[in-house]
Amino acid sequence: MKPSRFATLLASGAASALFAVPPVHADEGMWTFDNFPAAKVNAEYGTDINQAWLDHVRGAAVRLSVGCSASTVSDYGLVLTNNHCVVGCAQNLSSSDDDYYTHGYTANGLSEERKCPGMNGEILMSISDVTNRVTAAGAGKSGSDLVKARNAVTSRIEEENCGDDPKWRCQVVNLYHGGQYKLYKYRRYSDVRLVFSPGVQTAFFGGDPDNFNFPRYDLDSAFVRLYENGKPVATPDHLVWNPAPPKAGEPVFVAGNPGGTDRQLTVSQLETQRDLTLPITALQLSELRGRLIRFSEESAEHKRIAQDLLFGLQNSYKVYFGRLFALKDESFMAKKQAEQTALRQKVAALGPKLPKDFGTPWQTIDTAQSSVKAMYLPYRFVEGGPMGSELFGYARELVRAAAEREKPSADRLPGYADADLPRLQKSLFDEVPVHADLEEVTLEFWLSKAREYLTADSPETKLLLGKESPESLAARLATSKLGDPAVRKALYDGGMAAIKASDDPMIQYALRIDPEARKLRSAWEEQVSGPLTTASEKIAKARFLALGDSIYPDATFTLRLSYGKIAGWTYRGTEVPPFTHFAGLYERATGHEPYKLDPRWIAAKDKLDLSTIFDISTTNDIIGGNSGSPLINAKGEAIGTVFDGNIHSLGGNYGYDAKLNRTVAVSAAAINEALRKVYGADAIADELTGKHKPS
């Protein structure tokens, strides 16, 4: 469940605050590692989770910069994740002659492990509380002034603790929507190399029809390796690999980085999502998907270069459609209204314990929704930019980096402080293929939709198009030379003088629209994010007065731990068992896409143990971003990797249903069997069991 590359705009359209206090059901929660309910879990499941166990799992968990989770599983930096988390890497390493996205990749030794452009791996080393310092910085401020003050203090905290050393990353994390601010310090690895991918045909067997469904027959697993100074990183605290068949009912844990949840929104915020942001997002994803399908049908090469972006669009569309379906459920919305009413009553009962300036934060949030509705479309198209355009992304980063680096570090926009520059430079300087034909499609779509939604007479449309048509402007911008990392590096090193002197059409375009994009950003901070920050912090403090921190915070793409058990579910009288097996894969195969088997699996059928458990259903509470998270048993061993949820889990953005929400993982047993008997990757399988040192 990789977080959508388009999720940021949706989230910004309905920024969350802590309002609802539903009861926490069994197995519910994406808990921080410094507030995990170990005593409750041990009592319920008979486990022995202690601080040493938590420290070990935390030290093995990896956050990947592609929006996924992972874990170290050998002494030599070998990392387990999902195939769909490395398909971007496989696509970038591919050519018309070698399509690793489709057919996969197996490295025969360290010399064949290939660097994934733009990918970082991060391991969380420590968590510390910086709440008082962050909240003090915003005291007495509101609107954009509050946002700027908070940005400045978080930048200073991050730089004081990590500096500009590329081996470290510090991140001040907003938890409980202002109730707490924690400093997360990560060990960062910028050299991540592809070791094994089974290819999309096997990892995504069943395609879109089976996506977010169960039973599943997907080997959605992959391995990368962390390197430093040209050598594999030593990772002695890795998870022990356990390929033994898992058992129904056994307790399991998921350590990963859920991308974001909106379980604590007000009813008015949910209505904004339901009536504005979700329909627009889903519709545009659907439309762009159609254009890319048409583009893919034009030639084999078009199909190859569009397949990764198309996969992301299809997955995101299904996610947002599922969320919209949940918010249109009247009983669900009535439940949310009841939860909000209950919390307001609890807060009102605090009386004199509340701060004197508590005011009416719920009304503040409701008022801010009017600003969201008025500003969302201009903000989305101008500040948000096009979906899927690498060239525009590079140009925006270069133009803003040039402007921001002329300011003191603490005064810069988020993402441009000195501590952030190593990551920014890696994303700009790594070599990633850019395809002009595909760029033209995404740019034309963005520009045409801007004119359609904003109207031809709006100042934003005139800013974006000038006197040109979407078609002619997209064609011109797609001739940009920013696909060349050497060009990007020269512009970055040259600063604003080089940016202004550049004749690159995309650089000049980004430079022209950036002043208005910044104005929209500032207005958004003044009228939306600033007021929401103030109001959410007031309610968070009131919540702590009433309940403490006995409830987990919304997800923030930072490390969390969920607990549960291996279990199926019953829906409309039909019982869904928790396991699938290799035999079912062959029964499901039809010979036609998306149920067409990789020839290697056809050839290996007689060698395989068809009773091998393939995919697993569990009660763990997850969301997008948990993709690649290890599925861990009570001993702290890796028994699989999470890659999806069932169809009922799509509403998990707003709440957890213990009866229906399920996590889906591929078993270590299946991965082990496939490595040895399908892919001939015995060296990887032996490394997992400690019998082989890579060379």
Side-chain angles (χ1 to χ4, degrees):
M1 299 178 70
K2 182 178 177 181
S4 163
R5 69 183 72 189
F6 316 120
T8 301
L9 278 172
L10 179 62
S12 67
S16 11
L18 188 64
F19 299 101
V21 187
V24 176
H25 302 286
D27 302 348
E28 177 180 351
M30 305 170 194
W31 299 89
T32 58
F33 269 70
D34 59 346
N35 190 35
F36 184 74
K40 175 185 175 183
V41 175
N42 290 337
E44 182 175 345
Y45 282 108
T47 52
D48 186 23
I49 306 304
N50 55 30
Q51 192 59 50
W53 191 98
L54 292 169
D55 289 344
H56 171 63
V57 170
R58 173 191 52 75
V62 180
R63 182 170 70 170
L64 297 177
S65 59
V66 291
C68 283
S69 302
S71 59
T72 56
V73 286
S74 88
D75 283 323
Y76 311 105
L78 189 67
V79 171
L80 170 69
T81 188
N82 290 156
N83 185 76
H84 75 259
C85 296
V86 305
V87 289
C89 172
Q91 178 88 335
N92 291 334
L93 296 175
S94 295
S95 66
S96 56
D97 296 324
D98 294 300
D99 185 359
Y100 302 129
Y101 178 100
T102 300
H103 304 299
Y105 183 79
T106 302
N108 296 307
L110 297 179
S111 63
E112 294 187 6
E113 295 179 358
R114 301 187 61 182
K115 190 171 183 179
C116 290
M119 188 182 291
N120 298 307
E122 298 172 341
I123 297 177
L124 179 62
M125 305 303 292
S126 65
I127 303 172
S128 55
D129 196 324
V130 294
T131 304
N132 291 339
R133 186 173 175 188
V134 174
T135 54
K141 295 181 173 62
S142 62
S144 60
D145 289 339
L146 173 64
V147 174
K148 290 175 182 177
R150 289 291 168 78
N151 290 342
V153 73
T154 56
S155 292
R156 283 194 293 271
I157 292 170
E158 290 167 358
E159 289 182 18
E160 288 167 5
N161 286 273
C162 285
D164 57 359
D165 188 340
K167 293 181 180 179
W168 297 96
R169 180 186 180 186
C170 284
Q171 181 183 11
V172 174
V173 180
N174 180 341
L175 298 172
Y176 300 100
H177 306 283
Q180 293 178 350
Y181 290 88
K182 298 290 183 76
L183 174 65
Y184 280 50
K185 187 172 183 178
Y186 297 89
R187 184 67 165 84
R188 179 175 173 270
Y189 300 95
S190 59
D191 187 349
V192 181
R193 304 189 190 184
L194 183 63
V195 177
F196 170 78
S197 160
V200 73
Q201 192 170 13
T202 298
F204 197 49
F205 179 82
D208 189 60
D210 280 2
N211 194 21
F212 293 109
N213 282 301
F214 198 82
R216 294 288 287 277
Y217 302 90
D218 292 5
L219 194 78
D220 197 348
S221 57
F223 293 96
V224 295
R225 195 183 304 278
L226 305 178
Y227 278 73
E228 194 167 59
N229 299 322
K231 298 179 180 180
V233 172
T235 48
D237 292 330
H238 64 84
L239 298 180
V240 171
W241 183 255
N242 185 348
K247 296 178 175 59
E250 73 170 291
V252 286
F253 302 83
V254 173
N257 300 273
T261 51
D262 293 329
R263 295 181 179 182
Q264 297 152 349
L265 296 178
T266 65
V267 171
S268 66
Q269 287 175 297
L270 294 177
E271 289 171 344
T272 298
Q273 285 204 17
R274 182 194 65 195
D275 300 335
L276 177 66
T277 61
L278 277 171
I280 290 174
T281 301
L283 181 59
Q284 291 199 5
L285 288 170
S286 179
E287 287 189 71
L288 183 54
R289 176 184 62 175
R291 295 198 185 199
L292 287 180
I293 290 173
R294 182 194 65 188
F295 178 82
S296 299
E297 292 170 345
E298 293 173 354
S299 69
E301 181 63 3
H302 278 189
K303 180 179 180 180
R304 184 188 71 81
I305 65 177
Q307 57 194 356
D308 183 35
L309 180 57
L310 181 57
F311 171 84
L313 287 167
Q314 290 174 322
N315 186 71
S316 297
Y317 173 74
K318 205 162 191 176
V319 168
Y320 292 138
F321 179 82
R323 292 182 182 180
L324 185 58
F325 187 82
L327 293 184
K328 285 184 175 293
D329 185 327
E330 292 182 1
S331 63
F332 176 82
M333 293 297 285
K335 178 183 176 183
K336 285 292 183 181
Q337 181 65 65
E339 291 171 355
Q340 179 173 304
T341 300
L343 178 60
R344 294 190 69 165
Q345 291 172 347
K346 287 180 182 291
V347 171
L350 292 172
K353 294 182 181 180
L354 290 171
K356 293 181 180 180
D357 63 346
F358 187 72
T360 56
W362 283 275
Q363 184 176 335
T364 299
I365 296 296
D366 292 346
T367 300
Q369 299 312 297
S370 298
S371 297
V372 171
K373 294 170 185 175
M375 300 171 61
Y376 179 68
L377 286 173
Y379 184 86
R380 179 187 179 101
F381 283 106
V382 180
E383 171 64 9
M387 294 186 279
S389 172
E390 299 286 352
L391 291 175
F392 182 88
Y394 285 138
R396 167 67 63 81
E397 293 280 38
L398 287 165
V399 167
R400 289 198 169 169
E404 295 303 308
R405 286 187 298 149
E406 293 180 344
K407 307 173 186 176
S409 180
D411 294 341
R412 299 173 192 168
L413 291 176
Y416 297 93
D418 287 341
D420 297 314
L421 295 182
R423 286 181 292 112
L424 176 63
Q425 291 165 359
K426 178 175 174 58
S427 69
L428 287 172
F429 301 163
D430 277 8
E431 186 169 359
V432 175
V434 175
H435 306 284
D437 289 352
L438 184 59
E439 285 286 325
E440 191 170 339
V441 172
T442 59
L443 291 166
E444 180 186 321
F445 176 79
W446 169 53
L447 294 166
S448 65
K449 292 297 106 176
R451 184 174 63 183
E452 176 184 330
Y453 280 80
L454 298 171
T455 77
D457 295 321
S458 79
E460 291 83 17
T461 301
K462 293 178 179 179
L463 170 73
L464 293 175
L465 285 175
K467 296 290 187 180
E468 297 181 81
S469 69
E471 295 77 13
S472 64
L473 179 54
R476 183 170 68 83
L477 295 177
T479 65
S480 168
K481 302 301 181 185
L482 293 182
D484 184 345
V487 172
R488 300 195 296 268
K489 188 174 188 307
L491 287 167
Y492 181 88
D493 291 343
M496 187 54 74
I499 293 292
K500 290 182 176 179
S502 172
D503 61 358
D504 187 274
M506 188 62 88
I507 285 290
Q508 289 304 312
Y509 183 75
L511 190 62
R512 179 171 65 81
I513 71 171
D514 199 52
E516 184 59 31
R518 285 175 178 266
K519 289 180 183 178
L520 285 167
R521 183 188 183 108
S522 295
W524 187 273
E525 291 174 350
E526 181 67 29
Q527 300 178 44
V528 179
S529 54
L532 289 178
T533 297
T534 302
S536 65
E537 286 187 2
K538 289 180 178 180
I539 296 175
K541 290 175 182 177
R543 174 195 175 278
F544 284 132
L545 284 173
L547 301 169
D549 59 356
S550 59
I551 294 177
Y552 59 92
D554 260 329
T556 53
F557 195 50
T558 50
L559 188 62
R560 304 293 179 89
L561 186 64
S562 73
Y563 64 92
K565 62 184 177 181
I566 294 176
W569 71 98
T570 300
Y571 183 62
R572 293 179 177 172
T574 299
E575 184 176 345
V576 181
F579 298 126
T580 62
H581 301 81
F582 276 5
L585 171 71
Y586 292 96
E587 293 170 3
R588 202 171 186 82
T590 65
H592 303 282
E593 296 294 353
Y595 299 102
K596 185 177 182 179
L597 284 173
D598 183 320
R600 289 170 290 187
W601 280 80
I602 296 174
K605 182 178 180 181
D606 292 340
K607 296 184 292 182
L608 291 167
D609 178 355
L610 298 184
S611 68
T612 301
I613 291 175
F614 205 153
D615 292 338
I616 307 168
S617 164
T618 81
T619 64
N620 294 86
D621 190 5
I622 65 165
I623 199 73
N626 273 119
S627 285
S629 300
L631 186 67
I632 303 168
N633 65 13
K635 295 181 180 179
E637 300 168 332
I639 64 169
T641 179
V642 169
F643 69 90
D644 209 352
N646 64 358
I647 198 70
H648 309 289
S649 71
L650 290 175
N653 186 60
Y654 308 111
Y656 175 79
D657 185 337
K659 293 182 179 179
L660 295 176
N661 284 28
R662 293 296 181 266
T663 288
V664 180
V666 57
S667 76
I671 297 169
N672 222 58
E673 184 82 352
L675 286 172
R676 293 191 184 280
K677 298 179 181 179
V678 179
Y679 300 99
D682 290 310
I684 298 173
D686 286 342
E687 182 181 349
L688 289 168
T689 58
K691 298 177 180 178
H692 173 74
K693 180 179 179 180
S695 59

